[in-house]
Amino acid sequence: MAATLLLIDDEDRLRQLLARLLSLEGYTVLEAANARSGLSVLEREEVQLVISDVKLPDKNGIELTALIKQTYPATEVIVLTAYGTIADGVTAIKNGAFDYITKGDDNDRIIPLVSRAVEKAELQFRIRQLEQQVSKRYGFDSIIGRSAAIRQAIDLARKVAVTDTTVLLTGETGTGKEVFAQAIHYASPRSAGPFVAINCGALSKEILESELFGHRAGAFTGATRDQKGLFAEANKGTIFLDEIGEMPLDLQAKLLRVLETHEFLRVGDTKPTKTDVRVVAATNRNLEEEAGAGRFRLDLYYRLSVFVIQLPPLRDRRDDIPELAGFFTRRDAAKIGKRDVRMSPEFVRMLQNHGWKGNIRELKNIIERAVILADGPDLLPDHLPLDIREGDESNPGDDLTLAALERQHIGRIVAMTGNQKAEAARLLGISLATLYRKLDEYGLKK
């Protein structure tokens, strides 16, 4: 598709001549005789390049350049004038112009210059489209659920996203804290910057410190070169600190310094490094209780908890389960080339009755397993693990006898081992013969 150019010049003959020349090069050329008309065209059309005269009847072309770049940053601008001066050229470039040329003197330059400007603009338009796709994929509209509990969390997150405030996401494991952190980032003024995530509980203290703050060459054995930390990588963007409650106390002190001074020390360095980063943290612990027990710094807790968002567990939003399960079903079916896979009513009912201690992460894994097991288009109760089919400890029903609880426990262990009877017997602490007898007694052989 040909790039679209806009010529803004009050000299009709010169403008029409240049339009004809550029049209012969394959460009779509639009025309305007003044700044006001040109801005009106930009509101209606997607324009890759504006070529504007400096002296316009209603506005200076150099001032117009600044306005265009502010409103349409992906669009490039070339400024034309009959009386070029160095000062005007410098100002035009400072205002964002791609280049500044003199009419008549630079006729041989205009075509290759336009080609380079269009190439840059098209790249910027593609980047903008990719950013919009990423924002759509990770934005608030991608969060599934209509229950009051999840809508309340989304509303809070939307309000704080447009600020630069530190956010603390709390809730059980698997409730979607990283999904919320990404949505906050992509709805914020920092959306064009990087989003960097790290699990503070997955690394040792030494590795975590190096990952967060970086290190100098020779700072420790094996540090053969300088390494940037994630706080440096996330500059102008957002860093997501998952499982912040697992961070060692001495590293908490370094994090507190970053939040208070916006600078940090790399391992082995003596000169502080500045950073401009927003912090979103998450935990499944009660940090206030952890601080009271001496396992978390109280001053850091107060810095992190400026704005707290509690994410609801899946069992508190059961009405969202069919929609979530449907999304995972379609996605997982597409991955393995299955079409028109659907959930039976009984399958959905069992999902809604389950306790979901692992929350959305557990649901995602259960659906992936069911899609793989299904031979036909329907997901049936038989495709669910035994503990869901038979009920679990969070939904024991009316039968609380020892035999009923034993039946549930045996069924759960057998399902957990993938129906490997010898391993299940070992975990249960009984002989294989006893396990077979109990499976027969409780009707669990299938």
Side-chain angles (χ1 to χ4, degrees):
M1 185 176 177
T4 300
L5 314 185
L6 170 61
L7 303 184
I8 307 176
D9 197 327
D10 60 335
E11 295 184 37
D12 294 343
R13 197 169 70 84
L14 185 62
R15 186 185 70 243
Q16 291 163 5
L17 181 63
L18 185 54
R20 175 66 177 161
L21 180 66
L22 293 171
S23 296
L24 292 173
E25 294 294 321
Y27 299 113
T28 300
V29 184
L30 308 175
E31 299 180 44
N34 53 57
R36 183 177 179 180
S37 299
L39 292 172
S40 179
V41 171
L42 287 170
E43 289 178 3
R44 302 191 310 269
E45 305 285 344
E46 187 174 85
V47 174
Q48 280 72 44
L49 172 63
V50 174
I51 302 175
S52 174
D53 191 13
V54 166
K55 292 187 178 295
L56 296 171
D58 54 347
K59 201 173 191 69
N60 181 281
I62 295 175
E63 294 174 0
L64 178 62
T65 297
L67 180 59
I68 290 172
K69 292 302 290 183
Q70 182 180 358
T71 313
Y72 309 98
T75 299
E76 291 300 328
V77 181
I78 294 175
V79 177
L80 294 173
T81 183
Y83 311 100
T85 67
I86 293 175
D88 282 347
V90 170
T91 305
I93 299 300
K94 281 184 176 179
N95 284 358
F98 181 80
D99 210 336
Y100 178 94
I101 60 176
T102 304
K103 292 179 181 178
D105 294 345
D106 294 313
N107 288 342
D108 293 339
R109 290 183 58 205
I110 189 69
I111 297 302
L113 187 62
V114 166
S115 177
R116 293 199 304 274
V118 166
E119 185 178 348
K120 182 182 177 184
E122 288 178 335
L123 176 60
Q124 291 174 159
F125 272 88
R126 284 197 294 272
I127 291 171
R128 189 185 68 177
Q129 289 170 351
L130 288 172
E131 287 174 345
Q132 289 172 345
Q133 291 171 7
V134 169
S135 180
K136 183 177 179 181
R137 180 176 179 181
Y138 296 110
F140 288 112
D141 291 339
S142 69
I143 298 176
I144 298 170
R146 302 177 188 179
S147 64
I150 198 65
R151 297 318 305 177
Q152 181 181 19
I154 291 172
D155 289 344
L156 288 172
R158 283 186 188 275
K159 289 177 181 177
V160 77
V162 296
T163 73
D164 219 25
T165 301
T166 301
V167 179
L168 178 62
L169 301 170
T170 62
E172 298 176 8
T173 298
T175 49
K177 293 188 282 291
E178 185 165 353
V179 171
F180 265 77
Q182 289 176 326
I184 289 170
H185 169 72
Y186 287 110
S188 76
R190 295 177 175 271
S191 59
F195 174 84
V196 178
I198 186 169
N199 188 322
C200 299
L203 303 171
S204 68
K205 171 191 169 295
E206 292 75 18
I207 294 177
L208 179 60
E209 182 177 18
S210 178
E211 285 293 310
L212 287 174
F213 306 111
H215 61 255
R216 292 292 303 272
F220 50 84
T221 303
T224 56
R225 58 185 176 84
D226 289 359
Q227 177 178 303
K228 287 175 68 175
L230 295 183
F231 271 104
E233 295 284 354
N235 192 46
K236 303 297 182 182
T238 303
I239 187 167
F240 174 54
L241 304 176
D242 199 6
E243 303 300 346
I244 188 73
E246 310 299 324
M247 181 178 282
L249 281 167
D250 48 351
L251 289 189
Q252 292 177 27
K254 295 192 73 170
L255 173 58
L256 182 63
R257 173 178 174 152
V258 177
L259 292 172
E260 291 181 337
T261 67
H262 304 288
E263 62 182 28
F264 60 89
L265 284 173
R266 290 188 296 174
V267 179
D269 206 349
T270 56
K271 183 181 178 182
T273 301
K274 287 283 187 182
T275 186
D276 175 16
V277 64
R278 182 188 199 168
V279 174
V280 177
T283 183
N284 58 9
R285 297 191 179 200
N286 185 321
L287 293 187
E288 193 169 13
E289 290 182 0
E290 293 292 301
R295 293 187 291 268
F296 199 84
R297 291 182 65 108
L298 189 60
D299 48 3
L300 178 58
Y301 168 69
Y302 287 135
R303 292 289 300 185
L304 291 173
S305 60
V306 176
F307 201 96
V308 179
I309 301 175
Q310 174 75 30
L311 301 190
L314 190 54
R315 62 182 174 275
D316 288 350
R317 42 183 298 217
R318 294 184 187 276
D319 290 345
D320 293 334
I321 290 175
E323 188 177 1
L324 284 162
F327 170 78
F328 294 136
T329 296
R330 292 187 296 273
R331 188 193 65 178
D332 294 334
K335 280 182 182 177
I336 59 176
K338 290 187 175 182
R339 301 180 62 184
D340 302 322
V341 177
R342 54 186 179 268
M343 301 177 293
S344 70
E346 184 64 10
F347 181 91
V348 174
R349 186 190 67 77
M350 288 185 174
L351 293 180
Q352 288 185 290
N353 288 338
H354 185 53
W356 298 114
K357 289 185 175 180
N359 294 292
I360 297 172
R361 187 177 295 127
E362 181 187 359
L363 174 64
K364 188 188 304 182
N365 294 340
I366 292 295
I367 295 298
E368 183 176 3
R369 175 183 183 274
V371 169
I372 292 170
L373 290 176
D375 293 323
D378 293 320
L379 299 186
L380 303 171
D382 286 349
H383 302 135
L384 292 169
L386 192 61
D387 64 322
I388 296 182
R389 298 203 306 268
E390 299 295 335
D392 61 24
E393 69 279 3
S394 62
N395 290 285
D398 297 327
D399 191 352
L400 298 177
T401 63
L402 185 60
L405 294 174
E406 184 181 57
R407 182 182 190 277
Q408 288 179 9
H409 184 60
I410 290 174
R412 221 172 13 252
I413 297 302
V414 171
M416 185 182 76
T417 61
N419 210 32
Q420 299 296 313
K421 305 294 195 305
E423 177 64 10
R426 187 187 68 79
L427 292 172
L428 289 165
I430 59 177
S431 68
L432 187 58
T434 301
L435 174 60
Y436 274 109
R437 180 175 57 78
K438 288 187 177 291
L439 291 175
D440 186 48
E441 178 183 341
Y442 292 136
L444 296 176
K445 276 193 171 181
K446 291 183 181 180

